[in-house]
Amino acid sequence: MASTPCTASAAGEILDAAASMAAVTTRQVVAALVERSRGGQPPRRIERALRLAVESARAPAGEPSCALLPDLGRVTEVLDRFRASRARLRADPVDAEARQGLDDAAYTLCVLMGRRTAHQALRSAGEYVAAYPGSLRR
């Protein structure tokens, strides 16, 4: 985290994104960081998720990479599905169906938003939906 200067709020978002990608709690990600700072080796999936979340935070969200914008209702639907799967997975980390749902929703958001990482796609989708506050949403 020290290699990415940011506010406390942005650091929290990075930790939350890494936790979401690794399908663990934010506390587990923090524990892995502490372990690494003491010379230990944290779990690979947490290490990888942290690296991706930090890389994503360093890259600007920008505009979607294609000229066509996705349907607002579809983006909202997939965001809701992602959040529901993430909540289920946090409640029961071994729920294979929730993990598959989270992976499917993250992949769909990447495709819809034209992003390479789930964190970038989530951020872009959130900004996209927020840009249309008066629109009909499910």
Side-chain angles (χ1 to χ4, degrees):
M1 297 302 296
S3 66
T4 305
C6 60
T7 64
S9 175
E13 289 176 16
I14 291 170
L15 293 172
D16 289 341
S20 177
M21 283 186 253
V24 297
T25 66
T26 304
R27 285 181 183 251
Q28 289 171 304
V29 172
V30 171
L33 279 172
V34 170
E35 182 179 336
R36 184 172 67 180
S37 73
R38 294 179 177 161
Q41 183 63 36
R44 285 186 186 194
R45 76 175 184 196
I46 293 176
E47 190 74 25
R48 181 175 186 270
L50 269 168
R51 185 174 22 79
L52 289 172
V54 168
E55 287 173 6
S56 179
R58 287 179 177 163
E63 293 298 315
S65 61
C66 60
L68 297 175
L69 296 175
D71 177 68
L72 182 62
R74 179 72 173 135
V75 173
T76 302
E77 171 196 332
V78 177
L79 267 174
D80 291 345
R81 207 172 69 219
F82 178 89
R83 291 175 180 144
S85 293
R86 182 173 56 188
R88 282 182 49 207
L89 199 55
R90 284 185 175 160
D92 183 9
V94 295
D95 184 348
E97 186 177 313
R99 183 177 306 276
Q100 185 63 48
L102 185 74
D103 288 346
D104 290 347
Y107 176 79
T108 302
L109 284 172
C110 287
V111 172
L112 284 171
M113 302 311 297
R115 300 290 176 220
R116 293 183 62 185
T117 69
H119 181 69
Q120 289 172 337
L122 282 167
R123 189 168 55 181
S124 292
E127 290 170 0
Y128 181 62
V129 170
Y132 299 96
S135 298
L136 293 174
R137 295 188 201 159
R138 292 179 191 200

